[in-house]
Amino acid sequence: MNTAESFAKLPVAPKPPLRRFHQARWDEPIIFELSAPGRRGVAVPGPGAAPVELPASVRRAEPPKLPEMAQLHVLRHYLRLSQENLGVDLNIDVGQGTCTMKYSPKVNDRFAGAVAELHPLQHEDTVQGVLEIYWRLERMLAEISGMARVSLQPGSGSAAIYANIAMIRAYHAARGEGHRDQVITTMFSHPSNAACAKTAGYEVITLMPDAEGLPDIEALRAAAGPRTAALMITNPEDTGIFNPRIQEFVDLVHEAGGLACYDQANANGILGITRARDAGFDLCHFNLHKTFSTPHACGGPAAGACGVSEELAPFLPGPVVGFDDGTYRLETPAASIGKVRPFLGVTPNIVRAYAWIMALGGEGLRQVAETAVLNNNYLMHRILAIPGASAPWGRRRVEQVRYSWQELTEETGVHSEEIGVRAADFGVHYWTSHHPYVVPEPFTLEPTESYSKEDLDEYADILAHVASEARSDPAFVKEAPYNQSVHKIDMTSLDDPGEWAPTWRAYVRKHLS
């Protein structure tokens, strides 16, 4: 029985109409604009709490210029903002392709809150419980990846990639091979691999896909040589295609004297099935804010993890957590590249990831992967039934798919970005792809293990509806959104740094003065 026949035999529930959606619009000012002198909220100190007398050396000369607001006004402000946003707790978020937006159990937020008041400079003796969590999570991730040691210090996936690049450079320098100045990556690996390598001063060589959608192994064979420092590759890549020749890629780089570094941000479909070290990789990284269910939190704080072989363990960023005679302690590896962020790591997210793994166990992690793969292939079955949608290279996918609307665009003139904006009118998110668009008119979906068949059907029905609208009334789709808090965004200022205002003071200076 082929895949289509097996999906056709699944029980079919009555199909509900598309969900009505209309987002709140409050025209909400920035909180600094709501401020008025003398307003205040009161935080009642806990029982037994006493004022802390700070030494004069750390006191401000004058109070910080924070908004002055009553508690009720603060509550209203942030509730209104929350009503003007989509998010994983409100909508079917399978459209955040490559970012593994999954459900994060709310009980884990309670655990994370328990460490909120720890100070990073507390003595080790007073934080033994937290250090134990770090120590145990490091070893869990080492087992999951097959690596010898792990550092949890990076504050994000990109920071973990940069830490890996720094270790690669330190490793070659220690061996007297600092002349290795090239890093090889692939077009569908995460752009952070090329960006971090370039930032570290390496020349970047990018392998394009071959006729099967895989990185061209002959191009790798031609590129690998005495200048090769490393191969940095995501697998499965952002197309959702797993490279069945990955061991051969690693062997070619090793033969040239380089290191192989595995970007495992797309590990959600391979947990408990494949391991980086088993394929010969020397380094890897995970995004704890993707695969291991700690929330993205509107771009931060995230959490990354670097895993390395025994040979590279001395170069890990420090400190890491050691254990001896019943005591957990901080220690710095012998040839450490140093810190890649302040202090030890993003502790609340470390706690969340630890709790998530502990709740699932080994069998549960594999079930996560199997369910994510099943969901992805079912959604692919539904999407490819929509006229005008395709999946280049036609291969089975793992945890996501980079689709194309090229046929629909050629027929209607409606582009992928415009379909995504119209989809938001139904309360769902949609993502195209990284630039440049190697896949024409792309859209990338990743359903993870968190979504039911009914969720996937609803999402596919929304895209089918928008595609039908594009055929019947392209101008209507192009003018979307209609049900959102913001209608159209003026994009001109995005490319003008002179207009950017990352802080309220900068906004006042640039636009209100």
Side-chain angles (χ1 to χ4, degrees):
M1 184 183 297
N2 62 34
T3 303
E5 290 172 341
S6 62
F7 284 136
K9 291 182 177 296
L10 290 172
V12 178
K15 183 179 292 187
L18 291 180
R19 190 188 308 269
R20 293 184 63 189
F21 174 83
H22 201 292
Q23 197 160 42
R25 179 169 180 169
W26 288 99
D27 293 332
E28 187 67 9
I30 294 172
I31 195 168
F32 284 93
E33 296 176 275
L34 297 172
S35 175
R39 287 183 181 167
R40 65 181 63 190
V42 178
V44 179
V52 177
E53 187 68 25
L54 295 175
S57 61
V58 297
R59 293 181 196 165
R60 293 176 178 267
E62 57 183 38
K65 294 180 174 59
L66 299 176
E68 297 180 60
M69 294 182 65
Q71 186 181 78
L72 179 59
H73 295 150
V74 173
L75 177 65
R76 288 174 181 167
H77 173 69
Y78 285 107
L79 283 176
R80 287 167 178 165
L81 290 181
S82 73
Q83 293 171 354
E84 294 186 295
N85 281 283
L86 295 177
V88 70
D89 290 342
L90 294 172
N91 60 283
I92 304 168
D93 217 1
V94 306
Q96 190 66 24
T98 82
C99 281
T100 318
M101 298 294 284
K102 61 171 67 180
Y103 177 71
S104 297
K106 299 310 170 203
V107 67
N108 294 351
D109 289 340
R110 297 288 298 274
F111 299 146
V115 300
E117 295 186 4
L118 293 180
H119 193 283
L121 295 180
Q122 281 184 234
H123 193 276
E124 295 170 18
D125 292 344
T126 68
V127 288
Q128 285 292 294
V130 167
L131 294 182
E132 180 178 357
I133 289 174
Y134 270 84
W135 186 86
R136 290 182 179 276
L137 183 58
E138 286 176 13
R139 278 140 191 83
M140 289 175 180
L141 295 176
E143 176 65 23
I144 291 168
S145 64
M147 293 295 175
R149 288 300 306 269
V150 171
S151 171
L152 299 172
Q153 193 182 76
S156 68
S158 294
I161 293 171
Y162 190 84
N164 282 344
I165 279 284
M167 285 189 279
I168 288 166
R169 181 170 52 192
Y171 171 83
H172 287 307
R175 292 163 57 89
E177 296 191 347
H179 62 276
R180 294 184 176 273
D181 61 351
Q182 293 180 338
V183 166
I184 302 169
T185 188
T186 72
M187 175 51 69
F188 291 122
S189 290
H190 288 125
S192 296
N193 291 280
C196 291
K198 188 70 174 179
T199 300
Y202 285 98
E203 178 186 341
V204 177
I205 299 172
T206 302
L207 307 180
M208 300 301 289
D210 63 17
E212 295 184 318
L214 298 169
D216 191 327
I217 195 166
E218 295 307 318
L220 174 64
R221 206 182 305 275
R227 295 177 60 191
T228 301
L231 168 70
M232 304 195 72
I233 187 170
T234 309
N235 188 43
E237 293 189 294
D238 280 356
T239 55
I241 297 175
F242 186 89
N243 186 348
R245 302 177 71 177
I246 193 67
Q247 178 87 56
E248 193 174 348
F249 275 62
V250 171
D251 291 344
L252 282 172
V253 173
H254 283 166
E255 289 169 11
L259 296 173
C261 186
Y262 201 150
D263 178 333
Q264 292 201 124
N266 290 353
N268 203 56
I270 59 175
L271 291 173
I273 299 171
T274 70
R275 303 195 310 171
R277 188 59 180 160
D278 294 344
F281 280 90
D282 306 288
L283 309 88
C284 73
H285 97 273
F286 291 108
N287 286 18
L288 301 186
H289 55 283
K290 289 177 61 173
T291 307
F292 297 98
S293 186
T294 78
H296 279 64
C298 298
C306 296
V308 297
S309 65
E310 195 71 55
E311 193 173 15
L312 283 155
F315 300 96
L316 276 172
V320 293
V321 178
F323 179 65
D324 187 39
D325 292 332
T327 301
Y328 298 93
R329 66 186 186 282
L330 299 179
E331 55 187 31
T332 301
S336 175
I337 60 170
K339 290 189 174 187
V340 292
R341 71 176 308 279
F343 308 116
L344 184 58
V346 185
T347 298
N349 281 347
I350 300 301
V351 172
R352 287 186 179 97
Y354 174 76
W356 189 77
I357 294 173
M358 287 292 288
L360 288 166
E363 291 183 7
L365 290 179
R366 185 180 178 103
Q367 187 177 350
V368 163
E370 291 172 347
T371 306
V373 172
L374 176 64
N375 278 355
N376 185 51
N377 283 277
Y378 175 71
L379 183 61
M380 184 179 182
H381 165 74
R382 286 294 320 273
I383 295 298
L384 294 184
I386 302 173
S390 64
W393 301 295
R395 301 173 64 94
R396 288 285 182 89
R397 308 302 166 98
V398 182
E399 86 303 353
Q400 64 183 275
V401 182
R402 183 153 296 169
Y403 300 93
S404 174
W405 286 119
Q406 182 178 21
E407 181 185 327
L408 185 72
T409 300
E410 290 173 352
E411 179 182 343
T412 66
V414 175
H415 294 279
S416 179
E417 296 95 330
E418 294 164 330
I419 292 171
V421 171
R422 175 60 179 146
D425 277 336
F426 298 92
V428 299
H429 186 270
Y430 170 106
W431 189 65
T432 53
S433 85
H434 305 299
H435 288 276
Y437 284 177
V438 179
V439 172
E441 300 299 330
F443 63 111
T444 313
L445 307 180
E446 183 184 13
T448 78
E449 75 283 1
S450 297
Y451 297 96
S452 67
K453 178 178 178 295
E454 290 75 18
D455 291 334
L456 303 182
D457 283 334
E458 181 178 353
Y459 195 94
D461 288 344
I462 289 169
L463 291 191
H465 179 83
V466 175
S468 177
E469 287 182 333
R471 285 191 164 85
S472 62
D473 191 349
F476 178 79
V477 176
K478 285 176 171 289
E479 288 301 313
Y482 301 99
N483 302 335
Q484 295 294 311
S485 58
V486 176
H487 183 53
K488 288 288 186 182
I489 297 173
D490 181 3
M491 307 292 282
T492 55
S493 63
L494 298 183
D495 294 322
D496 182 4
E499 293 290 309
W500 299 350
T503 67
W504 171 249
R505 290 181 183 177
Y507 180 76
V508 171
R509 184 175 67 252
K510 289 186 175 184
H511 300 290
L512 300 183
S513 299

